[in-house]
Amino acid sequence: MRRRTVALALGTAAAMVLTGCSAMSPNANGTVTLNMVESLTNPSRTDLLKGLIADFEKQNPKIKVNLISPPTEQADQKIQQMLQSGSGVDALEVRDITVGPWSNNGWLYDMAKDLKGWQGWNAMTENAVKASEDAKGRTFFVPYGFYGLSLFYRKDLIKDAGFSKPPASWDQLLKQASAINDPAERRYGYAFRGGANANSNATAIIEAYVADKVDLANGYKLKNGRTIFSAPEALDALKTYLTLFKKASPKSSVSWGYPEMVEAFSNGSTAFLLQDPEVIATVSESKSISKEQWDTAPLVAGPSGKTVQPLATAGWGVAKGSKHKAETVKLIKFLSQGKASTDFTKKNSLVPILKSATEDPFYKTGPWSSYVTMTKHPDTYLNVSQPRGVTWWREWEQKSDADVQKMVTGKMSPKELLTGWDAYWTEKWEQEK
Amino acid sequence: MPATSATTTGPKTSRPVRKQAAPRARNGPRGGRKREFTTRRGLLIAAFMAPAAIFVAVFTYYPMIAGSQMAFRHWDLNDLTDTSWVGLDNFHRVFSDPNWGTVLGNTGAWVIGSIVPQLVIGFALALWLRRRFRFRGVYQALIFFPWAISGFLIGILFRWMFNSEFGVVNDLLQKAGLIDEPVAWLADPHKAMIAVLIANIWYGVTFFTIMILAALQSVPDELYEAAALDGAGKARTLFQITIPYIRVTLVLTVLLRVIWIFNFPDLIFGMTGGGPNNQTHIVTTWMIKITQQGDYGKASALGLLVVAGLLLFTVFFLLATREKREVRS
């Protein structure tokens, strides 16, 4: 009796340990289950994806998709762990900042051959096709949309300050934001980004100032091969940027990240904000400012009248360890074309990947029109590839964010910052050779 | 040291010497049954504990050991093509990092600046809650409430509360006439450190209150009655009766909180993310930041240093508690 009890206990222990260790394999009836992991998770987006997956499953009854949605903050680390283990993930969200390290570690499948001759490419914008290929012509992800900066501005505040139209250049932005800024009235000119991802706006102004000299294949490089941070115009850019902080931004914005910036514009206290299109939905729901009070304008330009669109992107890729690559590629094709793609970009407030979007009334009117304007004038709003796929991007982000904070708090001069950034990228590129 | 040794070989005390239990007959029926009982029951207990033991081994000890070896290798998650052994290089990179001094200083300030006010306020609240008064239960519930909230969430809440333009802290201070213009709490390293300390004090007072209140319940009322008869005032009663009686609880609670606070990055991460200029990082938030960069080698080296530091602290903790137990026995 007791032996039986001991055996039962050991058997239970073994069963508990061994369950879950079996890999997902096709069922007896041939149905395949794919594991798909998203990274930039939020509840409404997850619901949207589930809807698109349901449509895909209807069209492909032999394929089931299991969507995994880790919290955004830990998502990329979770995906990394899954990829490292070599199983348990088929389709995954790949971002321009993760594609470099993940492909370098051999975790991503190159879809170039599978997508050769695919009709979906013809419907895509040039930006989307370019973003899907790395320097060696490999396709580790198909972009689902773009995150691009435009200028959110308060129509009523610029009118009250005596300006007839929104700023078109950084100098005009400084002038208008300074005129509107009045801390005593709790009214501020510009929602400065000093906290998380502060480097992105600092490099945006530098790129705008060197737009004429920038290498279109690498947004951090000049045509002469040196870094954009070595150009004399870069120093002018940072001086303007620092003045924008001192004269037109709240003091506490030295620690502002995305939530504070968006809140500052949405609650009506700040006149200008540089942000991605996803903010359109957030500001539209504001109880403090009405739809008549605000709009968006194209990204402000440098002294040459041109600027660089620092487009960020992400898309769907296939894990190298996937045992169902053909089915996963099928799913990615489905998500990257037609109604599925349009629904995803519209409801997720993304710059679309399909050419047809420029004719869509949804993008032609209201806050979205500035993005269409930028797309239609590629000579003014230059499409430049950012080196966001390099393996050291995360290290760079953290270093550069800290440097921007040092500059605005007076611990580092703009010249020192640029010297450091120039040395950093020069050294990295040397090591790469 | 077992208590029995103190009673049998120690100096003479007023306590009766405990009798040693007579050894059972080896072949007696009870002795035999006990041996059989021990073996079989032991096996059964071991069998039922096996799942938990395996889980702990797989999910705690294996990752710990696997993680420790990263400290001696080049382990960059952004480039796993080279994971060669690098000896103590990762430790050297930790010590030579310009942030190291600031991080150490901040960690000390974070622990001491949190513990002392938490202890004082927690003690005061516990003394107050010990008395009987109307709605005492409601007050107790309100004071214990923060302990139920996640540290990271509290960090985010306080981040908004301390926001210079839209935060309630500046609003209240201005309405009270204590400041003329908004204070940029999280934009200045010193003020940011004060802000995170205020948040942590608010969060941690609860634990001290709970522990001290529980200890206070064990102080016999007769002692207070005797002190009152002897004419002892409130201060003398506090320092000569209350504190000595609950000293063990106080020591253990302080030591436990030191370890917890040292290991508590959530609040700082939610409030400042270690900024501005990396000036509010403590060891654990800095370790997370390095991990986020993908530099697992350096982060693991720092992790081992943290473990070593806490192990030393734990030894001190165990020695201190053992000493107290001996004194008590």
Side-chain angles (χ1 to χ4, degrees), chain A residues 110-179:
Chain A
D110 176 11
M111 296 182 280
K113 280 181 186 170
D114 305 69
L115 296 173
K116 204 174 180 184
W118 175 48
Q119 289 301 307
W121 293 127
N122 303 329
M124 280 190 197
T125 60
E126 192 190 338
N127 278 344
V129 176
K130 259 203 310 191
S132 69
E133 278 192 346
D134 74 350
K136 294 174 183 170
R138 297 171 299 183
T139 300
F140 291 116
F141 73 99
V142 178
Y144 55 58
F146 291 94
Y147 300 86
L149 292 178
S150 75
L151 183 72
F152 288 69
Y153 71 97
R154 284 283 298 278
K155 293 195 277 191
D156 54 338
L157 291 182
I158 64 167
K159 195 179 168 191
D160 294 346
F163 300 98
S164 57
K165 56 183 181 184
S169 70
W170 280 96
D171 278 342
Q172 286 174 23
L173 173 61
L174 173 59
K175 198 176 173 185
Q176 291 194 18
S178 304

Side-chain angles (χ1 to χ4, degrees), chain B residues 114-317:
Chain B
S114 298
I115 286 281
V116 175
Q118 281 180 14
L119 173 62
V120 173
I121 299 166
F123 204 129
L125 282 171
L127 286 172
W128 177 60
L129 287 170
R130 187 174 182 258
R131 299 178 317 167
R132 295 185 196 287
F133 56 89
R134 224 172 154 196
F135 303 122
R136 186 173 71 158
V138 175
Y139 285 108
Q140 280 185 352
L142 281 173
I143 287 165
F144 297 162
F145 173 69
W147 202 244
I149 310 172
S150 107
F152 189 73
L153 182 63
I154 286 174
I156 293 169
L157 284 173
F158 271 87
R159 179 176 169 174
W160 283 108
M161 283 167 65
F162 277 102
N163 183 292
S164 143
E165 283 71 36
F166 335 118
V168 69
V169 174
N170 274 346
D171 197 47
L172 289 173
L173 291 174
Q174 277 185 289
K175 279 176 179 163
L178 295 169
I179 53 170
D180 295 327
E181 56 177 32
V183 176
W185 289 99
L186 305 180
D188 174 85
H190 299 296
K191 291 192 185 99
M193 204 67 209
I194 290 166
V196 293
L197 279 171
I198 289 170
N200 197 31
I201 290 162
W202 176 83
Y203 184 50
V205 153
T206 299
F207 183 74
F208 273 103
T209 309
I210 294 168
M211 296 297 285
I212 295 169
L213 185 59
L216 287 175
Q217 313 287 7
S218 67
V219 184
D221 285 338
E222 292 82 359
L223 287 177
Y224 290 119
E225 287 161 13
L229 282 173
D230 289 345
K234 281 186 178 177
R236 198 169 169 193
T237 306
L238 175 69
F239 287 103
Q240 296 202 335
I241 292 174
T242 309
I243 291 177
Y245 206 92
I246 64 166
R247 192 174 53 188
V248 175
T249 304
L250 287 177
V251 168
L252 295 187
T253 309
V254 167
L255 289 169
L256 203 59
R257 283 297 291 156
V258 165
I259 293 171
W260 285 358
I261 289 170
F262 188 94
N263 265 328
F264 183 54
D266 320 28
L267 205 146
I268 292 180
F269 223 84
M271 268 182 89
T272 67
N277 312 341
N278 291 323
Q279 294 296 299
T280 56
H281 271 307
I282 58 169
V283 171
T284 42
T285 58
W286 193 44
M287 190 163 62
I288 293 170
K289 203 84 175 172
I290 296 166
T291 308
Q292 286 180 334
Q293 282 179 20
D295 194 347
Y296 277 35
K298 188 177 175 182
S300 298
L302 189 57
L304 279 186
L305 290 171
V306 169
V307 169
L310 287 177
L311 271 175
L312 282 173
F313 197 83
T314 307
V315 169
F316 168 68
F317 166 83

Side-chain angles (χ1 to χ4, degrees), chain A residues 68 95 109 126 136 146 163 179 181 187 217 231 355 385 392:
Chain A
I68 302 160
R95 298 162 66 188
Y109 173 67
E126 192 190 338
K136 294 174 183 170
F146 291 94
F163 300 98
N181 197 59
R187 193 178 64 233
K355 290 174 190 166
S385 300
W392 60 85

Side-chain angles (χ1 to χ4, degrees), chain A residues 2-3 5-6 8-10 12-14 16-17 73 77 80-81 84 100-102 104-105 107 183 186 188 250-260 263-264 267 269-270 391-395 398-399 402 404-407 409 411, chain B residues 36 40-41 43-44 46-48 50-51 54-55 58 70 75-81 99 152 159-160 163-167 170-171 174 181-189 272 275-278 288-296:
Chain A
R2 284 208 175 91
R3 274 187 196 166
T5 316
V6 172
L8 179 70
L10 285 169
T12 310
M16 283 173 73
V17 172
E73 299 77 25
Q77 275 186 327
Q80 266 174 183
Q81 287 159 4
Q84 223 171 339
W102 292 357
N104 186 53
N105 293 336
W107 293 338
R186 293 211 177 175
Y188 304 97
K251 275 185 194 171
S252 68
S253 61
V254 70
S255 60
W256 281 10
Y258 176 88
E260 289 90 352
E263 171 62 21
N267 69 17
S269 65
T270 310
T391 54
W392 60 85
W393 185 260
R394 283 192 193 282
E395 177 191 80
Q398 299 207 0
K399 173 203 158 44
V404 171
Q405 279 194 332
K406 282 178 190 165
M407 183 183 77
T409 53
K411 302 272 188 290
Chain B
E36 182 187 81
R40 293 206 172 177
R41 277 296 286 267
L43 265 177
L44 198 62
F48 276 108
I54 291 166
F55 265 81
V58 170
M70 285 183 197
W75 203 285
D76 184 350
L77 212 60
N78 300 312
D79 182 11
L80 290 173
T81 52
N99 291 314
F152 189 73
R159 179 176 169 174
W160 283 108
N163 183 292
S164 143
E165 283 71 36
F166 335 118
N170 274 346
D171 197 47
Q174 277 185 289
E181 56 177 32
V183 176
W185 289 99
L186 305 180
D188 174 85
T272 67
N277 312 341
N278 291 323
I288 293 170
K289 203 84 175 172
I290 296 166
T291 308
Q292 286 180 334
Q293 282 179 20
D295 194 347
Y296 277 35

